[in-house]
Amino acid sequence: MIRFLHAAALLALASAAHAQPKPQPLPAPPAEPPTPASIVADAPASDWRPIDPADLLVMELAPGRSGEERRVVIQLLPPPFSADWVNNIRTLARAHWWDGTSVYRVVDNWVAQWGAGEDEDGRAAPLPPGLVNVPESAYVTPVRPGPEDGRDFVLTPRREEVMVNRWIDPYAITAFVAGWPVGLDDSGGRTAWPVHCYGSVGVARDLSPDTGTGAELYAVIGHAPRQLDRNIAVVGRVIEGIEHLATLPRGTGEAGVYADRAQRVPILRVRPGDELAPGDLPAFEYLATDSASFARYLQVRANREDAFYKVPAGGVDVCNVQVPVRRAAAG
Amino acid sequence: MIRFLHAAALLALASAAHAQPKPQPLPAPPAEPPTPASIVADAPASDWRPIDPADLLVMELAPGRSGEERRVVIQLLPPPFSADWVNNIRTLARAHWWDGTSVYRVVDNWVAQWGAGEDEDGRAAPLPPGLVNVPESAYVTPVRPGPEDGRDFVLTPRREEVMVNRWIDPYAITAFVAGWPVGLDDSGGRTAWPVHCYGSVGVARDLSPDTGTGAELYAVIGHAPRQLDRNIAVVGRVIEGIEHLATLPRGTGEAGVYADRAQRVPILRVRPGDELAPGDLPAFEYLATDSASFARYLQVRANREDAFYKVPAGGVDVCNVQVPVRRAAAG
C-alpha cells in the first residue's frame, strides 16, 4: 500500500537524528514496535526447523514468454495428515508421472490445477502401481486431550503438540502443528485437519465417495476456500514460486479449463526434492510453531503497532498468519 | 477442484432417468440441494439492484501480449463510506488524471497498485484542483441502534439498514449494507467500515496522519488483508476484470515495485462510467443484501449440501461470501 515505507521510515529516523545537537552523544533511537518481518529476522536459529528435501516436490513448468524459468516448490504435509495421499504423490513423483502433463485449469480467486495425464486423444496415461484408494475418513486425523503438562491436545499416535490458536474463526477452532495451520473439532470425535489457505495444495477429485488419487492437484491462488476443508485432501503448500501459478491466464472453458489445448502450460518435470542433484535445490526452513518467536509473531500479526497502523486488528485469520518459511542461510 | 462437475451431475441424473421402466411416467428427479449459483440463478428480478454507471470507474490498461483488451471495472462505495475519498476519485477520473500513468507495483497475495503520475524524471504530475484532505476519522462511519422494528443497526444519517452477519469473525462483527461487506464495532462508538476482501480497491497512503488523496489506488489480489481495515480507506471493488491485475508479473524491486520502469503496465485511460458512450459499458446489478435471496445465499455459502460437499462448513468468512454482482440481462 505504501510505496516507500522503508525509505520513508529511514528518512524520518535520519531527520530525527539530524535534529540532535551534533556534539552531544546521540541517544538510541526509540525502539520501533516489532513487525512480523522484524520478529522473523530476530528469531534465533534454534527457533527454525529444517525442511527435509524428501518432503519437497519441485515442479518445473515450461519457461515463460520471456524465457524465464518457472519452478514451483511444494512442501508436503507431515504425517499423520493426509498421509496416504501424500504417499501416493511420492509414488507418482518417483515415477515421473507428471512429466509431460500440464496445468490445464486456472480459475481466478480459486485454483490452478494440473496433472490429468491425458494425451491428445483424451485418454488418461496409466497410473503407476502402488497407489491406494484413500477413504473419506482420512480427511481428518484424531487428536487427544493433552497430558497433565498443560498441553491442550496432542496428535495421535505421534503425540505431537497441537498449539491452539486463540483467535476466533468462522469455520472451526484453529491451531498449529509442526508449522502447519489446522482446524480442530473438539465437540465429540476430537479431530484435526489441514486447512485451505492461499498457496495450499490439494487433491482434485470427482463426486463422493471418490477422494482422488493425487494425480490431479491444485494450488489455491485466491482467498482461502475454507469450505473445502474436510471435503478435499490438503496435501501441502507452495513455499516458493506460487506466482508462476497465480499469474497464469484464467481459463475460459467449462469450470475454468483452458478452452484451447494450446493454452495448457506444459509441466516439464516434477521431482521429489531428494532426487535433485546437490546444489540444485536450496535448503528451506520454517519457524517452529511451538517457539517463542512464533508466539510473538502471531501476537503481532493480530496487533500491528508499527508506524503504518493506527488501529490494531485485535485478531487474525488463521490463513493470514502465514507461517514463515524461507531459504536457510548458506551453512 | 472437480473438473467436470456439471457434466458428471447431469450424467448421474440421466442414468437415473434411464433406469426407470420406459412406459411408466417418470417421477420428478429428486430436488438437488441449492448451491450459491442456483440461488443466484433463481433470484427474482426484484431482488437485484442496478448499479448506477456514475458509480463505476472503467480503467483500460494497454493491451496484453496477445493484443487482448484489458478493461477493469470498479464499483465505488456508496456514501457514507469513504465518501470524501470517493469524491476525490471522481474528481481525478473526470480530470482524466490517471491517463498515462501505470500499474507500477504488484505483490503476490497482496496488491496491484497504480497511479503515481510520475513522469520519467520522477516528478509527480500536478493533481487537479478540488481534492480534499480526508481525516483519519473518516475510516469509519457512525451507525446507530435500529428503531423498534427489529433492525439492529442503521447507518446515519441515511438510516439504511445494516444486516448483521451471524457468522463469527476473527476481526470484528461483520454485516452487509447495500451490497457491501462491512465491519462493525458495537463496543462503544458504534461504527462501521468497509472491509478489505479479494478485489477490494483502496487508497494508498504514506505514514499517518496521511490518508492518501485517492490518486494512488490498489486492488487486493490475494487473501483478504483485513489488518488494513480502519487503517486505509477502502473505496470500492473490482466487479469485472480483476484477472487483468491479478495475473500481472510480480514486481521485484523494493516493496514489489517494478524494478525496471519498462515493466510498468500503462494505463490508457480511466473514465467515470457515465462518461462512456452508450453501449460501451454493460449494465451491472448486485443482489440486494437485504433480500430473501441473499439470506438464502448466505446460508448456503456457510453450509454447502450439494453433491460435492460431505461436511458443511457451518460458517463462512465475510470475504468468502462474495456478494453477487453480474451483468444485467439485456432489457
Side-chain angles (χ1 to χ4, degrees):
Chain A
M1 247 56 44
I2 187 164
R3 190 166 158 201
F4 295 114
L5 178 55
H6 297 298
L10 287 173
L11 202 67
L13 287 173
S15 308
H18 194 71
Q20 298 292 334
K22 275 274 172 59
Q24 297 186 353
L26 292 175
E32 281 285 310
T35 64
S38 76
I39 291 168
V40 166
D42 293 344
S46 56
D47 283 351
W48 294 88
R49 303 273 183 275
I51 297 176
D52 187 338
D55 293 333
L56 299 178
L57 282 187
V58 181
M59 174 163 74
E60 285 176 24
L61 306 178
R65 289 192 191 230
S66 310
E68 75 278 12
E69 192 181 63
R70 294 192 286 188
R71 176 187 269 202
V72 180
V73 181
I74 295 166
Q75 180 188 9
L76 297 170
L77 266 168
F81 296 107
S82 305
D84 288 335
W85 288 284
V86 170
N87 285 338
N88 281 355
I89 288 165
R90 292 180 194 279
T91 299
L92 288 154
R94 280 194 299 259
H96 301 178
W97 186 81
W98 282 290
D99 297 13
T101 66
S102 67
V103 184
Y104 62 84
R105 178 191 180 210
V106 184
V107 182
D108 194 72
N109 194 21
W110 191 243
V111 299
Q113 188 167 326
W114 65 90
E118 289 177 4
D119 65 18
E120 287 300 322
D121 298 313
R123 291 172 303 190
L127 292 168
L131 302 188
V132 301
N133 285 319
V134 191
E136 291 178 324
S137 56
Y139 290 139
V140 301
T141 195
V143 294
R144 242 183 234 159
E148 302 291 311
D149 62 0
R151 294 187 285 170
D152 287 312
F153 297 97
V154 292
L155 283 181
T156 57
R158 286 161 56 101
R159 307 193 61 72
E160 191 150 18
E161 185 164 10
V162 177
M163 307 290 296
V164 175
N165 180 16
R166 62 180 281 202
W167 306 111
I168 211 164
D169 181 275
Y171 299 95
I173 303 169
T174 62
F176 297 93
V177 182
W180 296 83
V182 301
L184 191 63
D185 182 356
D186 185 29
S187 64
R190 291 206 176 95
T191 56
W193 58 89
V195 298
H196 281 82
C197 293
Y198 186 90
S200 291
V201 174
V203 173
R205 65 166 169 85
D206 283 318
L207 289 181
S208 169
D210 182 56
T211 61
T213 58
E216 292 189 59
L217 298 173
Y218 60 88
V220 173
I221 58 165
H223 190 79
R226 297 279 305 281
Q227 67 273 28
L228 298 176
D229 295 354
R230 292 184 286 181
N231 286 294
I232 304 196
V234 174
V235 290
R237 62 182 165 203
V238 176
I239 62 171
E240 199 168 277
I242 184 69
E243 67 276 15
H244 300 308
L245 297 169
T247 60
L248 292 177
R250 282 34 176 159
T252 56
E254 185 186 358
V257 169
Y258 286 129
D260 179 350
R261 290 184 72 94
Q263 295 174 287
R264 296 186 175 197
V265 181
I267 295 173
L268 302 182
R269 64 191 76 82
V270 176
R271 294 287 178 274
D274 57 354
E275 213 176 277
L276 267 66
D280 194 23
L281 182 66
F284 291 93
E285 60 189 6
Y286 69 92
L287 189 61
T289 41
D290 57 356
S291 69
S293 295
F294 185 77
R296 279 196 293 275
Y297 174 89
L298 185 58
Q299 173 63 20
V300 168
R301 275 281 189 209
N303 291 287
R304 293 289 294 261
E305 294 186 339
D306 48 292
F308 192 75
Y309 289 83
K310 293 297 289 180
V311 181
V316 61
D317 173 349
V318 69
C319 284
N320 248 346
V321 170
Q322 303 176 35
V323 175
V325 176
R326 67 181 184 186
R327 292 186 177 205
Chain B
M1 246 59 44
I2 188 164
R3 192 166 156 199
F4 294 115
L5 179 55
H6 297 297
L10 287 173
L11 202 65
L13 286 174
S15 310
H18 194 70
Q20 298 291 332
K22 276 273 174 58
Q24 298 186 351
L26 292 174
E32 280 285 308
T35 63
S38 75
I39 291 168
V40 166
D42 294 343
S46 56
D47 283 352
W48 294 90
R49 303 274 180 279
I51 297 176
D52 188 337
D55 292 334
L56 298 178
L57 282 187
V58 180
M59 174 163 73
E60 285 175 24
L61 307 179
R65 290 193 190 228
S66 310
E68 76 277 11
E69 194 182 61
R70 294 191 287 188
R71 177 188 268 202
V72 180
V73 181
I74 296 165
Q75 181 189 10
L76 297 170
L77 265 168
F81 297 107
S82 305
D84 288 333
W85 288 284
V86 170
N87 285 338
N88 282 354
I89 289 166
R90 292 180 194 279
T91 300
L92 288 154
R94 280 193 298 262
H96 301 178
W97 187 80
W98 283 289
D99 297 13
T101 65
S102 67
V103 185
Y104 63 83
R105 177 191 180 210
V106 184
V107 182
D108 194 73
N109 194 20
W110 191 241
V111 299
Q113 187 167 329
W114 65 89
E118 290 179 2
D119 66 19
E120 289 299 321
D121 298 313
R123 289 171 305 188
L127 292 168
L131 303 188
V132 301
N133 285 319
V134 192
E136 290 177 328
S137 57
Y139 290 138
V140 301
T141 194
V143 293
R144 241 182 237 160
E148 302 291 310
D149 61 2
R151 294 186 287 170
D152 287 312
F153 299 96
V154 292
L155 283 181
T156 55
R158 286 160 57 101
R159 306 194 61 70
E160 190 149 20
E161 185 165 7
V162 177
M163 306 290 295
V164 175
N165 179 17
R166 62 180 281 204
W167 307 110
I168 211 163
D169 181 274
Y171 299 95
I173 303 170
T174 62
F176 296 93
V177 182
W180 295 83
V182 301
L184 191 63
D185 181 356
D186 185 31
S187 66
R190 290 206 177 93
T191 56
W193 57 90
V195 298
H196 281 82
C197 294
Y198 187 91
S200 291
V201 174
V203 174
R205 64 166 170 85
D206 284 317
L207 290 181
S208 167
D210 182 56
T211 62
T213 58
E216 292 189 59
L217 298 173
Y218 60 89
V220 173
I221 57 165
H223 189 79
R226 298 277 307 280
Q227 67 273 26
L228 298 176
D229 295 354
R230 293 185 284 182
N231 285 294
I232 304 195
V234 174
V235 290
R237 62 182 166 203
V238 176
I239 61 169
E240 200 169 274
I242 183 70
E243 67 275 15
H244 299 309
L245 297 169
T247 60
L248 292 177
R250 283 36 176 157
T252 56
E254 185 185 359
V257 169
Y258 286 130
D260 179 351
R261 291 184 73 95
Q263 295 174 284
R264 297 186 174 198
V265 181
I267 294 172
L268 301 182
R269 63 193 77 82
V270 176
R271 294 287 178 274
D274 57 354
E275 214 175 277
L276 267 65
D280 194 22
L281 183 66
F284 291 92
E285 60 189 6
Y286 70 92
L287 189 61
T289 42
D290 57 355
S291 69
S293 295
F294 185 77
R296 279 195 293 275
Y297 174 88
L298 185 57
Q299 173 64 19
V300 168
R301 275 281 189 209
N303 292 287
R304 291 292 292 262
E305 294 186 341
D306 49 290
F308 192 75
Y309 289 83
K310 294 297 290 179
V311 182
V316 61
D317 175 350
V318 70
C319 284
N320 248 346
V321 170
Q322 303 177 35
V323 175
V325 177
R326 67 181 184 186
R327 290 185 178 205

